[in-house]
Amino acid sequence: MTNNKQLPHHTPEWSGYDIDELRYARAYTAARLELNRERVTTRLENLRKKGLKPGMPKNLFGKVLGAFSYIDIALLAWRAGRRVFSVTRALKRR
């Protein structure tokens, strides 16, 4: 399966995004991030209220895995890793 889609910035007649397109893309991304943040917050709230689910391990790791999907865990790990690497990079520069 090949992707033959021609991107707009690879065509010669493309003159760039206008301000409305940039604003729309920025608002769309901000809304998507807000929805994801709200979903994670709701899942954490449900975890605090309901506690353990039947069949889940009774340790903290099992609680976290039960509250988040794999994508949420990957995104949290990515953000935490970026923070750790930026801190270590800053410490190396000293």
Side-chain angles (χ1 to χ4, degrees):
M1 194 190 289
T2 61
N3 188 2
N4 293 330
K5 181 178 177 183
Q6 185 73 355
L7 297 175
H9 55 275
H10 289 293
T11 58
E13 65 273 356
W14 188 68
S15 61
Y17 293 111
D18 62 359
I19 192 71
D20 289 332
E21 290 173 332
L22 291 173
R23 285 180 180 155
Y24 175 79
R26 188 173 182 186
Y28 180 80
T29 302
R32 194 179 72 229
L33 287 174
E34 182 64 30
L35 287 172
N36 285 339
R37 189 176 301 121
E38 184 66 30
R39 185 173 44 123
V40 168
T41 304
T42 303
R43 287 185 179 181
L44 280 174
E45 184 88 18
N46 287 340
L47 178 65
R48 286 188 196 124
K49 285 182 181 177
K50 295 179 183 176
L52 292 175
K53 297 176 184 173
M56 289 296 295
K58 296 187 181 196
N59 57 11
L60 181 63
F61 189 68
K63 287 182 183 180
V64 171
L65 285 180
F68 295 116
S69 68
Y70 289 117
I71 294 173
D72 293 332
I73 293 170
L75 288 174
L76 289 172
W78 173 261
R79 286 187 175 192
R82 281 183 29 200
R83 291 251 170 108
V84 167
F85 288 130
S86 66
V87 168
T88 56
R89 191 179 321 125
L91 291 175
K92 286 182 182 179
R93 289 181 186 164
R94 284 192 196 181

